[in-house]
Amino acid sequence: MAITTKATKPKIVALAGGVGGAKLAAGLQAALPPGSLTVIVNTGDDFEHWGLNICPDLDTVLYNLADMHNPEMGWGRRDERWTVLDEVERFGGENWFRIGDRDLALHLRRTEWLRMGLSLTEVIDRLRRMLGIPSTILPMCNEPVRTLVHTEEGDLPFQHYFVRRRCEPALIDLSFVGADSATLSPEVRKALQSADLIVFCPSNPYVSIDPILSVPGLRGMVRQSSAPRIAVSPIVGGQALKGPAAKMMRELGEVSSPLTVVDHLGDVLDGFVLDRADAVLADAVILHALVTGTVMTDLPSKERLAQEVLAFGATLRQSSIPAD
Ligand code: FO1
């Protein structure tokens, strides 16, 4: 089955977290027929702040798929204003985590709906419909799972490590608090069951992808899926394009290389996409490999990479069908 044209309606599932994940998700949405894409999003970064439920990775995907994102920061809204943040600061409130005025409106509504008893899946679906997004966006689970960063300076909740401490404390390990009690939502289960292709977006393997795979049953479903599973490297030329993935690899005693990502996720993958800057490593990838430009600077470059990933997926799908 071809999974590259807009004429058919394939079911593509993307696993995403962070800015790189949201960028490829936007490219996939642009490359596919409306309704073909489901993005399963990391919620390990979520926390409570100013009494509100904050879901940074879900919101980054929402804003990117609605083309409302701030392209400079990668997170938050375009044309943002910061009046409330300044006033909260005036009254002695915390200002290290910057919630803009427009972004605040989404946080107020989400928190209100969650307090009314809606699940996070229902809340995100309401928001994406209101934003006119044709793709399905699913939190990895409805229960709270919180990434706790074990550092040489002690344990830090994720946003305290990431934003407040700017990822400075050296990483020792990570845990996903609450993952043991999380469950696969019917929506995530159905999406994975019916997937024609599973794409691991170029997201940090430790703090964006691992929390998703920590939801009991999810890794097993990906592993047993008959759909090709492809990851796009978040490491280009030894560096993460954004975020602390390369620094984390070094602190964990690994080399900051796409091959480290392959080692880390290899058991759930069939194919791996490397940037041209890392072409010399392609032969060392133990999976099917595609070398192409993976740096996404605007919508055309996101869509072009998405099309290449979809075409790569189609070749893997064909090669897994036994010949008559
Ligand atoms: N990242 C920052 O580096 N500084 C911030 O003040 C900040 C605020 C923020 C507010 C809402 C939101 O949805 C995301 C925000 N982010 C901020 C991004 C976020 O911390 C990270 O991108 C993710 O958690 C990592 O994937």
Side-chain angles (χ1 to χ4, degrees):
M1 172 196 166
I3 43 183
T4 49
T5 67
K6 290 196 181 191
T8 55
K9 206 164 181 181
K11 291 189 163 59
I12 310 300
V13 171
L15 309 186
V19 174
K23 282 184 174 184
L24 184 58
L28 287 164
Q29 178 174 272
L32 286 163
S36 272
L37 177 67
T38 297
V39 193
I40 299 177
V41 183
N42 170 42
T43 57
D45 298 11
D46 296 10
F47 74 133
E48 252 198 47
H49 187 71
W50 293 355
L52 302 170
N53 295 80
I54 318 285
C55 306
D57 284 359
L58 279 165
D59 293 355
T60 301
V61 170
L62 279 166
Y63 291 149
N64 271 268
L65 296 197
D67 193 20
M68 297 162 74
H69 61 291
N70 180 318
E72 282 83 40
M73 298 192 299
W75 49 270
R77 288 279 303 268
R78 195 177 300 150
D79 303 323
E80 189 54 283
R81 298 171 202 155
W82 305 94
T83 315
V84 175
L85 183 76
D86 292 344
E87 294 304 313
V88 168
E89 187 181 4
R90 181 205 296 268
F91 292 113
E94 295 198 70
N95 66 349
W96 59 269
F97 192 81
R98 305 180 66 225
I99 297 176
D101 298 353
R102 292 179 193 273
D103 194 20
L104 180 61
L106 185 153
H107 285 95
L108 290 169
R109 293 299 278 154
R110 172 169 44 227
T111 304
E112 194 180 342
W113 289 331
L114 287 171
R115 286 186 190 157
M116 281 164 52
L118 268 68
S119 70
L120 187 57
T121 300
E122 289 167 329
V123 168
I124 297 302
D125 200 55
R126 270 194 186 184
L127 290 167
R128 72 102 186 160
R129 284 173 195 276
M130 288 172 169
L131 294 175
I133 296 169
S135 308
T136 303
I137 302 173
L138 299 175
M140 65 190 200
C141 59
N142 286 310
E143 300 83 358
V145 174
R146 300 290 171 259
T147 299
L148 187 64
V149 189
H150 306 287
T151 79
E152 287 182 354
E153 298 178 32
D155 292 351
L156 293 168
F158 182 79
Q159 294 299 341
H160 287 251
Y161 162 80
F162 192 89
V163 175
R164 194 171 204 170
R165 298 297 316 277
R166 299 191 173 92
C167 309
E168 279 164 15
L171 176 66
I172 298 171
D173 200 1
L174 293 151
S175 42
F176 308 118
V177 179
D180 291 351
S181 332
T183 55
L184 270 182
S185 68
E187 293 83 0
V188 166
R189 183 186 295 277
K190 193 169 164 225
L192 289 171
Q193 265 165 354
S194 51
D196 294 311
L197 173 67
I198 300 175
V199 179
F200 288 63
C201 290
S203 301
N204 184 313
Y206 306 117
V207 295
S208 295
I209 300 297
D210 280 356
I212 301 177
L213 296 176
S214 79
V215 176
L218 202 150
R219 176 186 279 270
M221 284 204 73
V222 175
R223 227 177 164 152
Q224 283 156 24
S225 173
S226 57
R229 297 142 313 172
I230 295 174
V232 178
S233 179
I235 301 289
V236 173
Q239 295 301 321
L241 291 174
K242 193 162 169 58
K247 177 179 181 283
M248 286 179 155
M249 280 178 186
R250 290 191 293 270
E251 289 167 356
L252 292 172
E254 306 280 358
V255 182
S256 65
S257 157
L259 298 181
T260 302
V261 183
V262 174
D263 278 352
H264 193 73
L265 297 174
D267 66 324
V268 286
L269 296 178
D270 304 296
F272 193 72
V273 182
L274 305 101
D275 191 78
R276 283 199 193 91
D278 298 307
V280 289
L281 300 175
D283 287 344
V285 174
I286 51 167
L287 310 163
H288 297 276
L290 170 73
V291 177
T292 186
T294 63
V295 181
M296 296 172 278
T297 49
D298 52 15
L299 189 57
S301 60
K302 293 171 196 171
E303 186 172 354
R304 199 254 326 129
L305 176 59
Q307 276 163 347
E308 291 205 43
V309 169
L310 294 170
F312 182 40
T315 64
L316 297 190
R317 198 171 167 81
Q318 274 152 15
S319 68
S320 70
I321 300 170
D324 290 334

